[in-house]
Amino acid sequence: MDYSFFQHYWWLLVSLLGALLVFLLFVQGGQTFIWPWQKDVTLQKMIINSSGRKWEFTLTTLVTFGGAFFASFPLFYSTSFGGAYWVWMLILFCFVIQAVSYEYQSKHGNVWGKKTFHTFLVLNGILAPVLLGAAVSTLFTGGNFLVDKSVIYNFTQAAGPISAWQPYHGIQLHGLEAVLNPWNLVLGIAVLFLARTTALLYFINNIDDEALQTKAKKALRPNALIFVVFFVAYVAFLVTTTGYTEDPTTGVISLENYKYLHNFLAMPIVLIIFLIGVVLVLAGIALTLFKPAFRKGIWVEGVGVVLSVLGLLLVAGWNNTAYYPSLFDMQSSLTLRNSSSSPYTLQAMSIVSLLIPFVLAYIFYAWRSIDKKKMTRKEIEDNHHTY
């Protein structure tokens, strides 16, 4: 197990965390139904509590995702989180108002009223998936940064930051230009409607209520259709676009037509993982729509979401690919080789990563305990310890 193995291993772990995060965004997707379903107060309260019992999972996964990136690929962390900080600050702000809203909307002395906090939850539900999708898309479309390699290789003598964000058409936007790229927005919108689709499947599985089942299945078809259209459009763009490839011998980065298509073909296992994921996502939706008694679509579709996103993220970094292209200076683009931690750090963290199955087992246990009993109107109306 050489240095390259650990670099690829940690990209796999980071990609897996990113895939789990996209699945857990169903919490945000569920919050976007607070306004459309507000006429039925009890139903609205059920979806708030159904989503609210899982919001910590999403936030914890986001923090772990960022922490894993920092530990394994610190140059990406300093470049993106340090240079494109406005987009990441907006994402963080979205999650802060979410936490505050869940905890304080029903507190005594709430002078702002529940509707204010419901508005915050809806904003989080819309903005967080779109911004996260746009941020992840920059792994393919790139960012406007410059890496000063003299600082990297001679940091004891050189002064100044390792990486610096460059102005966008003369204006320093620090990452907000990501939402000006239409393809970044396409992925952001796809993630939003995927989150809404997954949320509907989760409600169908988690809430035992006839009115909810009717509304959720009615809303499932248009939300799933919009997701499929935007997702297919983004994948079509991805497999036909030009990517940045690294020469493994010299480290020189150059353009390669159809780079991500070549990555899929060069890594058939990754392609199979991606295709199985896509099939499972469609199967989970179709089974729920066309089998009236089927209520476990969340698990079929959820596994598919994780596998398909995992496949996309793997082709972004594996096979000598620049996983964060620089639009300002091609040779500043980040790859697994030029942006990772030291061999000792990656090896030491890899030993710690062996504890991950135990953490996942605990999450599974906690999730099952929370959802052991389906939510009902009676539970919400009789229980005063609700959001």
Side-chain angles (χ1 to χ4, degrees), residues 160-223:
I162 293 176
S163 54
W165 209 259
Q166 303 301 310
Y168 178 79
H169 295 302
I171 304 174
Q172 187 60 275
L173 297 177
H174 285 296
L176 290 180
E177 66 269 20
V179 299
L180 300 179
N181 184 317
W183 287 112
N184 292 346
L185 283 180
V186 167
L187 184 60
I189 294 171
V191 172
L192 170 61
F193 281 93
L194 173 62
R196 285 171 61 89
T197 299
T198 309
L200 291 169
L201 294 174
Y202 176 70
F203 291 152
I204 291 170
N205 177 259
N206 183 247
I207 301 175
D208 188 9
D209 183 78
E210 186 175 345
L212 180 282
Q213 298 289 322
T214 302
K215 284 181 174 290
K217 289 191 175 183
K218 183 178 179 180
L220 181 59
R221 192 186 302 270
N223 279 277

Side-chain angles (χ1 to χ4, degrees), residues 46-244:
M46 282 195 291
I47 66 172
I48 290 174
N49 280 270
S50 181
S51 299
R53 294 175 182 180
K54 300 295 188 302
W55 73 265
E56 293 97 335
F57 288 103
T58 310
L59 181 60
T60 302
T61 305
L62 174 64
V63 173
T64 307
F65 173 71
F69 238 136
F70 168 72
S72 54
F73 301 99
L75 188 54
F76 169 82
Y77 193 89
S78 66
T79 301
S80 182
F81 289 75
Y85 54 78
W86 275 120
V87 67
W88 292 111
M89 289 296 290
L90 283 175
I91 292 171
L92 179 61
F93 177 73
C94 287
F95 280 91
V96 168
I97 64 173
Q98 178 197 38
V100 171
S101 298
Y102 274 123
E103 295 302 325
Y104 287 96
Q105 62 179 304
S106 298
K107 293 285 187 182
H108 293 294
N110 173 15
V111 295
W112 286 10
K114 281 190 174 183
K115 287 188 176 180
T116 300
F117 290 111
H118 289 174
T119 301
F120 289 162
L121 289 176
V122 173
L123 287 175
N124 169 263
I126 296 172
L127 291 178
V130 171
L131 291 174
L132 279 170
V136 169
S137 180
T138 60
L139 297 180
F140 301 101
T141 60
N144 211 38
F145 60 89
L146 173 68
V147 175
D148 186 353
K149 295 183 178 179
S150 67
V151 179
I152 298 176
Y153 299 120
N154 195 21
F155 65 92
T156 57
Q157 299 178 17
I162 293 176
S163 54
W165 209 259
Q166 303 301 310
Y168 178 79
H169 295 302
I171 304 174
Q172 187 60 275
L173 297 177
H174 285 296
L176 290 180
E177 66 269 20
V179 299
L180 300 179
N181 184 317
W183 287 112
N184 292 346
L185 283 180
V186 167
L187 184 60
I189 294 171
V191 172
L192 170 61
F193 281 93
L194 173 62
R196 285 171 61 89
T197 299
T198 309
L200 291 169
L201 294 174
Y202 176 70
F203 291 152
I204 291 170
N205 177 259
N206 183 247
I207 301 175
D208 188 9
D209 183 78
E210 186 175 345
L212 180 282
Q213 298 289 322
T214 302
K215 284 181 174 290
K217 289 191 175 183
K218 183 178 179 180
L220 181 59
R221 192 186 302 270
N223 279 277
L225 180 60
I226 295 172
F227 156 68
V228 169
V229 169
F230 278 88
F231 179 72
V232 169
Y234 191 82
V235 172
F237 154 74
L238 195 62
V239 298
T240 56
T241 193
T242 299
Y244 289 24

Side-chain angles (χ1 to χ4, degrees), residues 140 231 235 238 264 270 274 307-316:
F140 301 101
F231 179 72
V235 172
L238 195 62
F264 272 125
V270 175
F274 173 73
L307 292 179
S308 55
V309 175
L310 176 62
L312 285 177
L313 292 178
L314 288 180
V315 298

